[in-house]
Amino acid sequence: MKKPSAEKDSDEYRQRRERNNLAVKKSRMRSKQKAQDTQQRVNELKEENERLEAKIKLLSKELSVLKDLFLEHAHNLADNVPPSGTGADGASPATGVNGHGQ
Amino acid sequence: MKKPSAEKDSDEYRQRRERNNLAVKKSRMRSKQKAQDTQQRVNELKEENERLEAKIKLLSKELSVLKDLFLEHAHNLADNVPPSGTGADGASPATGVNGHGQ
DNA sequence: AATAATTGCGCAATTG
DNA sequence: GCAATTGCGCAATTAT
């Protein structure tokens, strides 16, 4: 079961083989390249992820600061503390301080 | 240059071959598996990314709302508008300046 | 029908 | 010495 040595021993057989070998090489190159690209993609996405997480952390921080300011303000109102030296009478019925969210 | 038919025509040669073939198969399986895993990783990271972006969008929105509130407050002070009836709620910027971005 | 691409498989060389 | 990895070619199958 080696080869029907006849027919395709040389000639256009060899030629087909050669072409195929070439195609094979090409195909495998692509395949490898793709794998590398995918790996690369992973790295990029990881970086992107870290950036986003950092941004989230930052925004969260900012938010919490602002919210705290609001709370403080609310407390001041509740404690009947006027914003400035203005002697406007402060008859502000204290309202509930909304809690933190989320 | 076919084969040094002597020595290694059968026997332990065949055995070595067999083992190697096995090893080759194994190795290639792993390789493929790894590639798939990497691809999978990409997908996961993409999802994660979208989640993070969404979160960022949300936080940004919240922040801009709060900031607008502050601005409004500041303007009120500047315009000497004393704190009027304090609503019991604090989550509806239904008044004043709208549409600041970023 | 013809050609290119992809895939499983085995060999041999190399590496660890 | 041995398993793992790698480049290479063959042949079957699939896609164009």
Side-chain angles (χ1 to χ4, degrees):
Chain A
M1 266 283 191
K2 284 294 174 170
K3 280 187 256 172
S5 290
E7 273 210 271
K8 318 292 187 121
D9 208 0
S10 299
D11 199 4
E12 64 134 329
Y13 163 71
R14 203 60 245 166
Q15 204 146 2
R16 269 187 291 122
R17 283 307 323 139
E18 188 116 16
R19 281 181 211 230
N20 180 247
N21 289 342
L22 202 63
V24 165
K25 238 192 284 183
K26 192 170 160 189
S27 175
R28 284 175 177 153
M29 282 248 299
R30 283 189 185 183
S31 177
K32 271 178 204 169
Q33 183 61 48
K34 216 185 60 179
Q36 279 186 316
D37 290 357
T38 307
Q39 183 57 55
Q40 180 62 28
R41 189 95 178 86
V42 165
N43 296 334
E44 290 170 2
L45 286 174
K46 271 192 194 165
E47 279 184 43
E48 180 78 355
N49 254 20
E50 282 173 28
R51 254 195 18 184
L52 296 181
E53 302 245 32
K55 187 160 187 175
I56 286 179
K57 190 168 283 185
L58 182 69
L59 290 178
S60 296
K61 188 89 178 182
E62 279 187 58
L63 252 182
S64 89
V65 167
L66 285 193
K67 283 186 177 171
D68 282 353
L69 281 185
F70 267 126
L71 279 192
E72 194 182 330
H73 184 63
H75 287 153
N76 288 344
L77 288 182
D79 295 346
N80 198 10
V81 176
S84 305
T86 314
D89 97 276
S92 309
T95 358
V97 179
N98 50 5
H100 294 290
Q102 199 173 306
Chain B
M1 268 283 188
K2 287 290 174 172
K3 278 187 263 173
S5 291
E7 271 213 88
K8 319 291 186 126
D9 209 0
S10 302
D11 191 349
E12 63 134 328
Y13 163 72
R14 205 59 246 165
Q15 204 146 2
R16 268 187 292 123
R17 284 307 324 139
E18 188 116 15
R19 271 190 237 154
N20 179 247
N21 289 340
L22 201 64
V24 166
K25 237 191 288 184
K26 192 169 160 190
S27 176
R28 283 173 177 156
M29 282 246 298
R30 282 190 188 178
S31 176
K32 272 177 202 166
Q33 184 60 48
K34 217 183 60 179
Q36 278 187 317
D37 290 356
T38 307
Q39 183 57 54
Q40 180 60 31
R41 188 93 178 88
V42 166
N43 295 335
E44 291 170 0
L45 285 174
K46 270 192 194 165
E47 278 184 43
E48 179 78 355
N49 253 19
E50 282 173 30
R51 272 203 351 229
L52 296 180
E53 303 244 32
K55 187 158 187 176
I56 286 178
K57 191 169 283 186
L58 182 69
L59 290 178
S60 297
K61 189 88 175 181
E62 278 188 58
L63 252 182
S64 89
V65 167
L66 284 194
K67 283 183 179 172
D68 282 354
L69 279 186
F70 267 125
L71 281 190
E72 188 186 338
H73 184 61
H75 289 156
N76 286 347
L77 287 183
D79 296 347
N80 199 9
V81 177
S84 52
T86 311
D89 159 69
S92 302
T95 10
V97 193
N98 261 353
H100 283 299
Q102 234 282 79

